[in-house]
């Protein structure tokens, strides 16, 4: 007959750090998203900054109506990220939905679960990035249909930018958008950038555009801001990380600004 193993309970408890990692960035992403997590792991996560993800329901095709349907899930999604613990920033990673729903509405929905947390959306970060680069006249490239692209044009115009050109690719499924090769984006950027533009904004968190930023900038001879690059930059700066990361484009060398 085997003897029962004695399990000893220690009489002392180890001291606890204030946090497992110093800074916390939350991500709310689409159920279908292939790209944001790898991008944030590459550009944001470190021994100092943790990235914590919640997925919310989303169904293609990418139309304004379907994008707007995500709004009721935002509060519950935010609540699932380290419940009852504060975050240093939280990003809702969908550019087109942020434009359709509205930055203020997204902030209110997220802060209902995470009061006081700085909320970042891709178009908001894009505007901040373009302004940090001194751009006033821009070209825009999106993978969307014309219908889904129109609100994007109106958003950037409302934030004071002159739009020299706007090019869209006509895709309806974000999973297919994620399959566009980064090298193809370099050629598309060259075609989409107007000679009068100060910078190019490449929209959509599904695109693997952050991997192509340097190539796009070399191809067009001016700065490029992409959705995931801009939100990563914004979240890093909110975490007090000002380290230049030129391998992800000119924007990643700049402070957040006002």
């Amino acid at each position: 007959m085997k003897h029962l193993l004695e399990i000893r309970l220690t009489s002392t408890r180890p001291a606890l750090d204030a946090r497992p990692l110093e800074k916390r960035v939350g991500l709310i992403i689409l159920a279908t998203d292939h790209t944001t997590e790898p991008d944030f792991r590459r550009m944001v996560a470190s021994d100092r900054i943790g990235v914590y993800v919640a997925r919310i329901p989303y169904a293609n095709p990418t139309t304004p109506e379907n994008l707007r349907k995500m709004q009721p899930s935002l509060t519950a999604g935010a609540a699932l990220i380290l419940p009852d613990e504060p975050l240093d920033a939280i990003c809702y990673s969908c550019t087109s939905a942020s434009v359709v729903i509205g930055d203020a509405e997204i902030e209110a929905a997220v802060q209902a679960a995470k009061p006081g947390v700085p909320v970042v959306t891709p178009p908001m970060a894009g505007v901040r990035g373009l302004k940090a680069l001194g751009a006033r006249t821009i070209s825009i490239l999106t993978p969307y249909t014309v219908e889904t692209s129109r609100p994007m044009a109106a958003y950037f115009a409302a934030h004071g930018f002159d739009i020299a050109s706007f090019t869209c690719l006509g895709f309806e499924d974000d999973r297919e958008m994620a399959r566009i090769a980064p090298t193809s984006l370099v050629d598309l950027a060259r075609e989409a950038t107007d000679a009068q533009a100060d910078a190019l904004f490449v929209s959509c968190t599904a695109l693997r555009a952050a991997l192509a930023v340097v190539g796009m900038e070399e191809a067009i001879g001016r700065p490029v801001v992409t959705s995931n690059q801009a939100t990563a930059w914004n979240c890093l700066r909110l975490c007090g990380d000002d380290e230049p990361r030129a391998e992800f484009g000119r924007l990643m060398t700049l402070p957040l600004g006002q």
Side-chain angles (χ1 to χ4, degrees), residues 23 25 40 42-46 48-49 89 120 229-243 245 248 252 256:
K23 297 292 183 178
V25 173
F40 266 64
R42 191 179 294 117
M43 292 188 285
V44 178
S46 68
R48 178 174 169 267
I49 302 175
V120 176
Q229 171 222 38
T231 54
W233 166 76
N234 202 156
C235 289
L236 283 168
R237 300 303 181 255
L238 288 171
C239 288
D241 186 325
D242 294 316
E243 179 185 347
R245 290 174 171 81
F248 296 114
M252 277 288 204
L256 184 58

Side-chain angles (χ1 to χ4, degrees), residues 164-181:
S165 63
F166 196 120
T167 304
C168 67
L169 305 180
F171 282 76
E172 293 186 329
D173 191 317
D174 69 315
R175 296 164 298 183
E176 291 184 345
M177 298 173 197
R179 290 165 56 192
I180 299 172

Side-chain angles (χ1 to χ4, degrees), residues 27 68 168 180 193 253:
L27 274 180
R68 195 174 287 111
C168 67
I180 299 172
T193 305
T253 68

